[in-house]
């Protein structure tokens, strides 16, 4: 197919024009969708890409999306875009063509002076050198020749453009754990104008693009990493394509530059690129981006330089004068600047930097950022997940991980540990040790040129931190900080910011987070111990006596952490600080401190606080000795965090046996329980209360604890037990194991009130019971009850079955329970199936000594066989008791008394329990629920019960007719030896009551009572 060469040449020129003016087109094209419509109508734009362009918020974002399509489509699509632009925005096109006619050859350096072509071999060579230099990174602990890929470490940071006020600053500093990361997440909202790296030079709401951007961040927050990432991504064509050249100026290196230097001299380009760079600096400065990294580390002053500024990038001058001219915009005014700095130098930079200017601040990693960093570091999803969950469980450590350097330290420590032990949590570093590593890292890599010895600096920081802790202060004014710390702006552990005070600005300082302030306050006690050995004694004594000052408790925990032998060794090696006498004194004070804390009534979580202190010290022998003194650990009404569970797990595992542990109303959820369950097996006495767990979770727990040698007592209560689908199986489950018995109690919520249960159809969907209590005997220290079977039956009972089917399922299960000793049930309706089933169970189950079942409500709705039924047996006798309560009759809430309120039978037998059929007797007793019923049918049936030797009844009235039946019964029933009859209260006797009480015994026949 023949194609006109002139058309091809025109297409190529148009495409090169579009590429060359990419930055201007992105900024200046305002009506993007008409252009996209043209390309869509010509099938040069996919529907998906069109939708992305349409969804973009600003015209600049729409143009960036459109350029992605142009780049993918090639010259033909760029030519079509150029043609559409000529129709829809001819004035813009004419303006751009006035600088560089489209007919010019833009591929050579001597042609168009507007910009270099991205395809230029020289630019490609420069970019390749940048990629090669910046694609890898050396870590703080890298050996010679060691490096990692930048992409294996770099994780997007949370960057905002808004200056926060005092309350917001305090919220960020004081919050911890999940709450802290929730606060950071709120900063990623539009309210704080969060921004990503490729938007740093995007136009603001007024359409103006900045020429200079301040990227502020505290030490270790990833400023230099971000600069390196920008360099690498630009060279790869993934970022800031509007710039022909991006140059990196490292302020640490500039400190070592001497003599006279021009801007071009500072760039350190190779000889092949020098001509191209010079031409771009001279003719296209708007195509150049300078990244000035580490402004706060510059050692020479920029404000007071007397050298006249030059507007020529090739004129040499002292380095400070050249750099100042570049920052001020006296030279290369059209170029763009990105300057990174710590907060302590941000206001100084602001005064030096050219306008228009944008302020941005790196806050660190969001919660998702922390998780992503772990995934990149370990490159193993399962392993990174384990490590992340461990760190997330440690509230202080999880909070500190918003700082990228802390993240790196944590991951590095875990990686080294995993080389020798694949158990993630075994012997891992404490929070204190991680903080010590952080301090060492900043001192070595972010603290050059200090004017004072490091121990003095740390002592001064400790005094400032202690003052703030005692006064509950986290923000410090400039005067307070200057009195405590010399040259505070050079200290990497402090943050500096400006707060508005009416019509003025006030300089304020803080530590990076409250946890670092707590750490430095604790470090002070170690640093001054030689001169003030009693300072720690006074502090611990004060805390033990007054636990209401909870804000100081983390300082105590760090004190114990600093006493760890490995931490003490590293302090000695690195800072020449000895902690041996400090450690000895703390160990001596610990027993008294524990006793003092535990005797206080001011603090609910005193035991868990002690465990946190012991965990930070992290030496098994020390922990064991301290735990032996505690004897009994009680945690009540404390919302246990995952951190607390890790601490408990470690401390419990240090002890071969824990005498007694009680955890009640402490929000002990499934994941926390799994962390603890193997350590719980070490307890001689254990009492737990948990809530909202699944049956599988409880099965696991009971299976583990069932095999444990818990010698004295095990008590577990589960509120709101659920199945795997979240459906409630029981409102409460409790298991209690004592010396020779196990008691299991299950409660369920009834779906209907007792008033509703008046006819059989209303029983559909009702649970077979609302309360079940089992007592089992056991001879060993373990028990092996099939909890899975119990929960399967509960599953079945929760299905929409008939009520009698529910009953049959439960009875079937109960017959299978080995060593069942006692059984008690509370039911919504005591039907014939329940009554006969329960009596059959006690007759056929050899170990069962007692069983009872009663109605849920205090009053009988009429459908139940009776209000309660109980049966018991021993080696030679059997007893059965049936009770009737008031019965509803007629209108609602109208109740009548039953004829008989209670019947108790006693049966004697030989070696085997008689297989008596109780159905007829139960039916006859059911009739006596109603008032004024005849007792004759019941009395006639009693002689048929073999071995009947005792009868006790409570009646509404004892009439002459009743008395005649009683005397007849004792004569016709040979085995009957004793009878007693009691009238319930004075009642309405109408003169018919013979007496209130009648007792008959064979051979010695007596009649006693009080006549009415």
């Amino acid at each position: 197919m023949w194609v006109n060469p002139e058309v091809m040449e025109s297409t190529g020129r148009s495409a090169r024009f579009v590429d060359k003016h990419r930055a201007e087109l992105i900024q200046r094209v305002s009506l993007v969708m008409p252009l996209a419509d043209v390309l869509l109508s010509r099938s040069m734009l996919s529907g998906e890409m069109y939708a992305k362009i349409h969804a973009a918020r600003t015209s600049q974002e729409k143009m960036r999306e459109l350029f992605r399509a142009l780049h993918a489509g090639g010259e033909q699509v760029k030519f079509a875009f150029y043609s559409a632009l000529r129709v829809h925005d001819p004035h813009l096109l004419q303006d751009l063509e006035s600088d560089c006619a489209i007919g010019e050859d833009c591929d050579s350096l001597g042609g168009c002076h507007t910009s270099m072509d991205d395809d230029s071999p020289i630019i490609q060579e420069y970019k390749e050198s940048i990629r090669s230099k910046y694609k890898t990174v050396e870590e703080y602990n890298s050996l010679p020749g060691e490096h990692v890929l930048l992409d294996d470490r770099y994780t997007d940071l949370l960057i905002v453009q808004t200056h926060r006020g005092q309350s917001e600053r305090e919220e960020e500093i004081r919050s911890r754990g999940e709450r802290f990361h929730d606060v950071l997440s709120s900063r990623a909202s539009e309210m704080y104008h969060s921004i990503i790296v490729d938007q740093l030079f995007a136009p603001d709401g007024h359409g103006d693009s900045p020429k200079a951007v301040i990227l502020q961040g505290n030490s270790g927050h990833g400023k230099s990493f971000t600069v390196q990432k920008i360099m690498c991504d630009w060279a790869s064509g993934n970022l800031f394509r509007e710039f022909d050249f991006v140059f990196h100026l490292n302020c640490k290196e500039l400190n070592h530059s001497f003599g006279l230097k021009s801007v071009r001299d500072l760039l350190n380009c190779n000889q092949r690129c020098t001509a191209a760079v010079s031409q771009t600096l001279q003719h296209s400065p708007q195509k150049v981006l300078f990244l000035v990294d580490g402004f706060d580390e510059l050692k020479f002053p920029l404000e007071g330089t007397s050298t006249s500024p030059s507007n020529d990038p090739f004129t040499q001058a002292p380095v400070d004068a050249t750099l100042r001219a570049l920052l001020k915009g006296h030279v290369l005014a059209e170029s763009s600047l990105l300057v990174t700095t710590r907060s302590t130098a941000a206001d100084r930079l602001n005064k030096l930097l050219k306008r228009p200017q944008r302020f941005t601040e790196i806050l660190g990693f969001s919660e998702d950022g922390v998780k992503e960093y772990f995934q990149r570091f370990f490159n193993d999803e399962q392993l990174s997940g384990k490590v992340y969950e461990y760190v997330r469980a440690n509230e202080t450590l999880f909070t500190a991980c918003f700082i990228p350097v802390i993240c790196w330290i944590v991951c590095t420590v875990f990686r080294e540990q995993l080389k020798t032990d694949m158990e993630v949590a075994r012997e891992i570093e404490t929070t204190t040790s991680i903080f010590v590593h952080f301090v060492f890292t900043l001192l070595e890599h972010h603290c050059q040129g200090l004017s004072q010895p490091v121990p003095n600096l740390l002592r001064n920081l400790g005094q400032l931190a202690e003052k703030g802790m005692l006064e509950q202060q986290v923000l410090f004014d400039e005067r307070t900080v200057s009195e405590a710390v010399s040259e505070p702006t050079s200290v990497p552990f402090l943050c500096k910011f400006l707060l508005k005070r009416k019509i003025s600005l006030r300089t304020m300082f803080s530590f990076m987070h409250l946890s670092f302030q707590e750490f430095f306050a604790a470090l002070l006690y170690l640093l001054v111990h030689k001169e003030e050995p009693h300072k720690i004694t006074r502090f611990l004594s004060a805390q033990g006596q007054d636990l209401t000052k909870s804000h100081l408790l983390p300082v105590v925990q760090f004190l114990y952490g600093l006493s760890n032998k490995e931490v003490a060794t590293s302090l000695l090696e690195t800072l020449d600080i000895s902690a041996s006498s400090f450690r000895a004194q703390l160990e001596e004070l610990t027993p008294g401190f524990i006793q003092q804390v535990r005797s206080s009534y001011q603090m609910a979580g005193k035991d868990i606080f002690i465990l946190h202190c012991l965990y930070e010290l992290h030496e098994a022998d020390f922990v064991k000795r301290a735990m032996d003194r505690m004897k009994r650990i009680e945690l009540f009404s404390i919302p246990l965090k995952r951190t607390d569970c890790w601490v408990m797990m470690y401390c419990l595992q240090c002890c071969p046996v824990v005498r007694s542990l009680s955890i009640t109303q402490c929000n002990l959820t499934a994941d926390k329980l799994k962390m603890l369950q193997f350590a719980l097996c070490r307890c001689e006495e254990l009492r737990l209360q948990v809530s909202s767990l699944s049956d599988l979770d409880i099965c696991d727990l009971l299976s583990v604890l069932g095999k444990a040698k818990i010698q004295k007592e095990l008590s577990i209560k589960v509120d709101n037990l659920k199945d795997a689908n979240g459906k409630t199986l029981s409102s409460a489950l409790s298991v209690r194991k004592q010396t020779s018995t196990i008691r299991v109690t299950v409660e369920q919520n009834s779906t209907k009130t007792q008033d509703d249960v008046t006819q059989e159809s209303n029983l559909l969907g009702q649970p077979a019971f609302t309360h079940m209590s089992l007592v089992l005997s056991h001879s060993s220290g373990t028990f092996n009850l099939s909890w899975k079977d119990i929960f399967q039956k509960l599953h079945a009972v929760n299905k929409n079955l008939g009520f009698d089917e529910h009953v049959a399922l439960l009875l079937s299960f109960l017959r299978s329970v080995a060593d069942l000793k006692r059984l008690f049930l509370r039911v919504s309706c005591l039907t014939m199936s329940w009554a006969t089933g329960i009596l059959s169970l006690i007759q056929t189950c050899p170990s069962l000594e007692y069983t009872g079942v009663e109605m849920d409500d205090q009053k009988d709705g009429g459908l139940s066989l009776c209000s309660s039924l109980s049966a018991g047996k021993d080696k030679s006798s059997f007893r059965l008791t049936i009770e009737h309560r008031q019965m509803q009759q007629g209108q609602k809430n109208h109740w009548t008394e039953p004829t008989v309120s209670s019947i108790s039978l006693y049966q004697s037998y030989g070696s085997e329990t008689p297989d008596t059929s109780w159905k007829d007797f139960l039916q006859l007793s059911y009739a006596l629920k109603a008032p004024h019923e005849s007792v004759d049918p019941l009395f006639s049936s009693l002689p048929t019960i073999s071995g009947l030797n005792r009868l006790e009844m409570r009646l509404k009235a004892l009439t002459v007719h009743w008395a005649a039946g009683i005397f007849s019964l004792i004569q016709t029933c040979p085995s009957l030896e004793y009878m007693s009859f009691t009238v319930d209260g004075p009642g309405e006797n109408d003169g018919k009551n013979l007496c209130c009480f009648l007792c008959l015994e064979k051979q010695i026949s007596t009649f006693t009572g009080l006549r009415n």
Side-chain angles (χ1 to χ4, degrees):
M1 178 179 170
W2 181 84
V3 181
N4 190 332
E6 293 183 3
V7 173
M8 289 180 63
E9 178 61 24
S10 176
T11 301
R13 287 196 303 269
S14 300
R16 288 193 295 276
F17 178 87
V18 170
D19 288 336
K20 180 170 54 181
H21 293 285
R22 179 179 184 274
E24 292 93 333
L25 291 169
I26 287 175
Q27 301 303 326
R28 298 175 65 181
V29 173
S30 57
L31 299 175
V32 183
M33 292 315 297
L35 303 175
D37 290 335
V38 172
L39 298 180
L40 182 66
S41 67
R42 298 183 183 181
S43 301
M44 292 182 169
L45 198 64
S46 68
E48 181 182 359
M49 184 58 72
Y50 183 88
K52 287 184 178 180
I53 297 170
H54 188 271
R57 292 176 300 172
T58 65
S59 61
Q60 288 80 17
E61 291 176 359
K62 291 179 188 292
M63 281 300 296
R64 287 192 179 91
E65 291 293 342
L66 181 53
F67 260 101
R68 290 189 178 92
L70 298 180
H71 182 70
E75 290 188 349
Q76 291 292 334
V77 178
K78 292 175 184 176
F79 177 72
F81 169 78
Y82 174 84
S83 302
L85 189 64
R86 183 172 292 281
V87 173
H88 290 278
D89 203 341
H91 299 293
L92 171 60
L93 202 61
Q94 195 172 25
D95 188 31
L96 294 174
E97 287 175 341
S98 66
D99 291 332
C100 175
I102 192 168
E104 290 189 74
D105 182 5
C106 297
D107 292 337
S108 65
L109 293 174
C112 171
H113 298 306
T114 304
S115 147
M116 297 289 293
D117 193 332
D118 280 352
D119 294 330
S120 165
I122 294 177
I123 289 186
Q124 290 304 316
E125 181 180 337
Y126 174 71
K127 286 186 174 181
E128 185 54 43
S129 68
I130 293 296
R131 274 195 298 270
S132 178
K133 179 179 178 180
Y134 288 93
K135 70 179 180 181
T136 60
V137 60
E138 291 185 6
E139 299 184 299
Y140 292 127
N141 63 344
S142 292
L143 295 171
E146 277 189 340
H147 55 74
V148 295
L149 290 175
L150 176 66
D151 287 341
D152 288 345
R153 291 291 182 271
Y154 182 82
T155 303
D156 287 337
L157 295 157
L158 175 57
I159 305 174
V160 298
Q161 302 178 69
T162 303
H163 295 276
R164 282 102 61 223
Q166 179 170 336
S167 61
E168 294 162 310
R169 293 275 182 180
E170 290 207 21
E171 183 182 36
E172 293 166 9
I173 294 169
R174 292 183 184 276
S175 56
R176 301 176 188 267
E178 298 286 353
R179 171 60 186 154
F180 172 79
H181 285 286
D182 287 343
V183 170
L184 275 196
S185 295
S186 72
R187 304 300 188 254
S189 64
E190 290 187 8
M191 180 186 300
Y192 295 91
H193 302 289
S194 64
I195 192 172
I196 57 178
V197 171
D198 67 357
Q199 297 173 339
L200 289 174
F201 291 94
D204 59 19
H206 304 291
D208 299 324
S209 299
K211 281 296 178 183
V213 175
I214 297 174
L215 183 60
Q216 173 183 305
N218 296 316
S219 297
H221 275 58
K223 301 182 297 296
S224 296
F225 234 56
T226 300
V227 167
Q228 184 168 346
K229 178 66 172 172
I230 290 173
M231 291 296 293
C232 192
D233 282 358
W234 169 79
S236 301
N238 299 322
L239 186 69
F240 296 152
R241 294 178 62 182
E242 60 268 32
F243 297 113
D244 285 349
F245 284 100
V246 178
F247 300 109
H248 179 199
L249 298 179
N250 187 311
C251 291
K252 279 186 183 178
E253 295 176 1
L254 291 179
N255 287 330
H256 302 289
S257 295
F258 303 102
L260 303 179
K261 302 281 185 180
S262 67
V263 171
R264 187 186 62 183
D265 295 336
L266 296 178
L267 303 182
N268 292 324
C269 296
N270 63 44
Q271 192 170 2
R272 281 179 54 80
C273 294
T274 302
V277 169
S278 299
Q279 182 172 323
T280 303
L281 293 177
Q282 184 174 4
H283 299 289
S284 307
Q286 74 277 10
K287 294 293 185 179
V288 179
L289 168 63
F290 293 97
L291 304 181
V292 182
D293 184 26
F295 173 81
D296 56 284
E297 297 183 275
L298 285 172
K299 298 305 178 186
F300 43 78
L302 296 178
E303 295 86 347
T305 178
S306 59
T307 305
S308 300
S310 169
N311 57 4
D312 179 2
F314 310 108
T315 299
Q316 293 184 330
V319 174
D320 58 337
T322 299
L323 184 58
R324 184 174 187 271
L326 179 63
L327 294 175
K328 279 281 191 181
H330 296 154
V331 62
L332 300 175
E334 294 302 311
S335 68
S336 296
L337 285 168
L338 172 65
V339 187
T340 72
T341 182
R342 283 177 45 222
S343 59
T344 49
D347 55 340
R348 175 171 156 240
L349 172 61
N350 173 59
K351 296 172 184 177
L352 281 172
L353 209 54
K354 65 184 178 182
R355 269 50 172 182
Q357 187 186 103
R358 169 172 288 157
F359 169 83
T360 63
E361 181 176 0
I362 297 174
L363 299 188
F365 285 148
S366 65
E367 183 173 356
D368 288 340
V370 174
K371 194 170 187 177
E372 181 184 342
Y373 184 90
F374 279 45
Q375 290 170 344
R376 289 179 180 275
F377 189 97
F378 291 104
N379 196 27
D380 181 324
E381 188 171 349
Q382 185 176 6
L383 179 58
S384 67
K386 284 184 179 180
V387 176
Y388 174 77
E389 286 303 318
Y390 177 86
V391 173
R392 188 167 171 264
N394 185 321
E395 189 177 69
T396 304
L397 205 53
F398 186 50
T399 304
C401 275
F402 83 97
I403 302 175
V405 167
I406 292 278
C407 256
W408 175 80
I409 292 171
V410 168
C411 289
T412 301
V413 167
F414 270 101
R415 182 181 60 191
E416 295 305 308
Q417 169 66 25
L418 291 169
K419 288 179 180 178
T420 57
D421 190 344
M422 286 304 293
E423 183 63 38
V424 170
R426 186 176 299 162
E427 299 300 325
I428 202 64
E429 305 263 342
T430 62
T431 302
T432 307
S433 64
I434 296 295
F435 276 46
V436 168
H437 288 316
F438 177 68
V439 170
F440 290 169
T441 301
L442 262 59
L443 286 173
E444 182 177 355
H445 300 281
H446 297 262
C447 214
Q448 285 75 23
L450 281 175
S451 60
Q452 58 183 318
V454 169
N456 289 355
L457 169 64
L458 297 179
R459 180 181 295 211
N460 293 340
L461 286 172
Q463 290 170 343
L464 178 65
E466 183 191 38
K467 174 180 172 63
M469 293 304 302
L470 293 175
E471 298 175 3
Q472 298 191 52
Q473 179 183 2
V474 294
L475 303 183
F476 305 91
D477 59 40
E478 191 170 21
R479 179 180 176 181
T480 301
V481 175
S482 297
E483 288 174 352
V485 182
S486 61
E487 298 183 21
T489 56
S490 65
V491 177
F493 305 103
L494 294 176
C495 311
K496 178 184 173 184
F497 47 91
L498 299 174
L499 291 180
K500 289 184 178 180
R501 288 288 186 271
K502 296 183 179 179
I503 61 172
S504 62
L505 294 176
R506 186 181 184 188
T507 300
M508 301 294 289
F509 288 83
S510 74
F511 289 87
M512 292 184 188
H513 187 265
L514 177 58
S515 54
F516 294 100
Q517 184 175 332
E518 294 160 350
F519 171 80
F520 280 108
L523 186 60
L524 175 66
Y525 288 86
L526 173 60
L527 294 170
V528 302
H529 184 258
K530 189 174 181 179
E531 299 88 16
E532 300 180 63
H534 299 298
K535 185 178 177 71
I536 184 175
T537 305
R538 292 193 299 270
F539 178 68
L540 286 182
S541 178
Q543 295 314 299
Q545 291 175 2
D546 187 4
L547 293 173
T548 58
K549 297 179 180 178
S550 59
H551 63 284
L552 294 174
L553 298 183
V555 179
V556 179
Q557 293 174 24
F558 278 122
L559 282 175
Y560 276 88
L562 290 168
S563 301
N564 175 271
K565 289 179 181 177
E566 289 189 13
V567 171
T569 300
S570 63
L571 287 170
L572 182 62
E573 292 174 350
T574 308
L575 303 178
D576 196 26
I577 298 172
S578 175
S580 56
S581 60
F582 177 79
R583 156 65 185 254
Q585 185 176 2
L586 188 67
E587 187 165 358
E588 182 181 338
L589 293 171
T590 294
F593 177 66
I594 290 177
Q595 184 177 357
Q596 200 174 24
V597 169
R598 300 194 81 212
S599 62
S600 171
Y601 294 97
Q602 299 171 324
M603 178 182 174
K606 49 195 174 187
D607 280 358
I608 197 68
F609 164 66
I610 292 171
L611 296 183
H612 272 280
C613 293
L614 298 177
Y615 176 83
E616 281 302 306
L617 196 139
H618 220 75
E619 292 176 20
D621 290 341
F622 189 110
V623 174
K624 180 181 179 302
R625 290 195 297 272
M627 294 281 286
D628 285 344
R629 294 177 178 273
M630 294 180 71
K631 295 182 181 178
R632 192 180 193 92
I633 301 171
E634 293 188 8
L635 307 178
F636 176 75
S637 196
I638 306 165
L640 282 179
K641 305 180 183 69
R642 289 172 57 85
T643 318
D644 302 325
C645 294
W646 278 113
V647 166
M648 287 177 60
M649 181 183 72
Y650 171 79
C651 293
L652 292 176
Q653 286 178 341
C654 288
C655 305
V657 175
V658 179
R659 297 182 190 179
S660 178
L661 173 63
S662 176
I663 308 176
T664 307
Q665 297 180 19
C666 292
N667 190 29
L668 198 55
T669 55
D671 57 340
K672 298 172 188 174
L673 205 53
K674 286 176 182 175
M675 294 164 61
L676 287 173
Q677 60 186 17
F678 290 104
L680 297 179
C681 295
R682 298 171 181 263
C683 301
E684 290 183 345
E685 293 181 1
L686 176 63
R687 288 178 293 278
L688 298 177
Q689 182 181 14
V690 295
S691 62
S692 299
L693 301 186
S694 73
D695 53 346
L696 297 178
D697 295 325
I698 294 299
C699 276
D700 290 343
L701 173 66
L702 293 174
S703 176
V704 171
L705 295 180
K707 298 172 184 176
K709 297 287 184 180
I710 299 178
Q711 299 172 2
K712 296 181 179 178
E713 180 181 344
L714 168 64
S715 178
I716 303 172
K717 184 177 180 183
V718 186
D719 297 325
N720 198 21
L721 180 67
K722 298 179 179 294
D723 64 14
N725 297 319
K727 185 174 181 180
T728 300
L729 294 177
S730 70
S731 56
L733 166 72
S734 68
V735 179
R736 185 173 185 180
K737 181 173 83 73
Q738 294 178 305
T739 306
S740 60
T741 60
I742 304 165
R743 181 182 294 275
V744 181
T745 303
V746 182
E747 294 185 9
Q748 298 186 103
N749 292 321
S750 177
T751 57
K752 294 182 174 65
T753 65
Q754 191 62 41
D755 292 336
D756 296 328
V757 186
T758 56
Q759 52 185 333
E760 196 165 347
S761 61
N762 289 345
L763 292 176
L764 184 64
Q766 281 288 93
F769 66 89
T770 56
H771 175 98
M772 177 173 69
S773 179
L774 309 175
V775 177
L776 301 90
S777 61
H778 71 99
S779 55
S780 64
T782 65
F783 59 96
N784 296 304
L785 187 64
S786 178
W787 301 105
K788 188 175 181 181
D789 286 348
I790 288 181
F791 297 134
Q792 282 179 343
K793 295 299 184 295
L794 289 176
H795 275 290
V797 167
N798 270 278
K799 294 178 181 177
N800 198 25
L801 301 174
F803 187 81
D804 285 347
E805 290 177 273
H806 294 181
V807 173
L809 279 170
L810 261 294
L811 289 171
S812 173
F813 161 71
L814 292 169
R815 290 188 186 96
S816 69
V817 176
D819 300 321
L820 180 61
K821 192 173 182 179
R822 296 177 68 86
L823 168 66
F824 176 76
L825 292 153
R826 192 173 292 120
V827 298
S828 55
C829 186
L830 210 170
T831 61
M832 179 63 76
S833 59
W834 256 133
T836 56
I838 288 294
L839 292 175
S840 173
L841 180 67
I842 195 170
Q843 288 176 325
T844 57
C845 180
S847 61
L848 188 58
E849 299 175 355
Y850 171 84
T851 181
V853 57
E854 70 174 28
M855 290 280 296
D856 228 352
D857 202 274
Q858 292 298 315
K859 298 176 181 178
D860 186 348
L863 188 60
S864 291
L865 187 71
C866 55
S867 300
S868 69
L869 179 150
S870 64
K873 68 180 182 184
D874 54 29
K875 293 180 180 180
S876 61
S877 66
F878 176 83
R879 59 195 176 278
L880 168 65
T881 299
I882 296 173
E883 293 186 354
H884 298 302
R885 300 195 186 111
Q886 291 178 321
M887 185 175 69
Q888 186 177 358
Q889 190 177 55
Q891 295 180 349
K892 193 173 183 179
N893 296 327
H894 178 67
W895 300 87
T896 60
E897 297 290 337
T899 302
V900 175
S901 59
S902 172
I903 307 173
S904 294
L905 303 179
Y906 294 79
Q907 210 180 5
S908 61
Y909 51 83
S911 59
E912 294 185 5
T913 306
D915 186 15
T916 305
S917 175
W918 295 100
K919 187 172 182 180
D920 291 341
F921 172 76
L922 293 171
Q923 288 176 335
L924 292 171
S925 69
Y926 172 67
L928 297 178
K929 287 176 60 174
H932 314 301
E933 286 294 320
S934 172
V935 76
D936 295 344
L938 177 67
F939 280 177
S940 299
S941 70
L942 290 177
T944 64
I945 300 176
S946 63
L948 178 64
N949 69 346
R950 187 180 181 99
L951 172 65
E952 297 174 358
M953 298 179 70
R954 298 187 68 89
L955 318 170
K956 181 182 179 184
L958 187 55
T959 65
V960 172
H961 183 75
W962 265 95
I966 291 169
F967 281 101
S968 174
L969 175 63
I970 199 167
Q971 293 172 352
T972 57
C973 187
S975 60
L976 191 58
E977 298 175 353
Y978 175 88
M979 292 192 299
S980 69
F981 300 87
T982 304
V983 176
D984 286 326
E988 299 176 2
N989 55 52
D990 295 330
K992 297 178 182 179
N993 262 340
L994 292 177
C995 57
C996 295
F997 176 74
L998 174 64
C999 176
L1000 297 175
E1001 282 187 76
K1002 270 197 179 168
Q1003 296 179 351
I1004 307 176
S1005 185
T1006 60
F1007 174 87
T1008 60
L1010 178 65
R1011 291 185 179 276
N1012 295 319

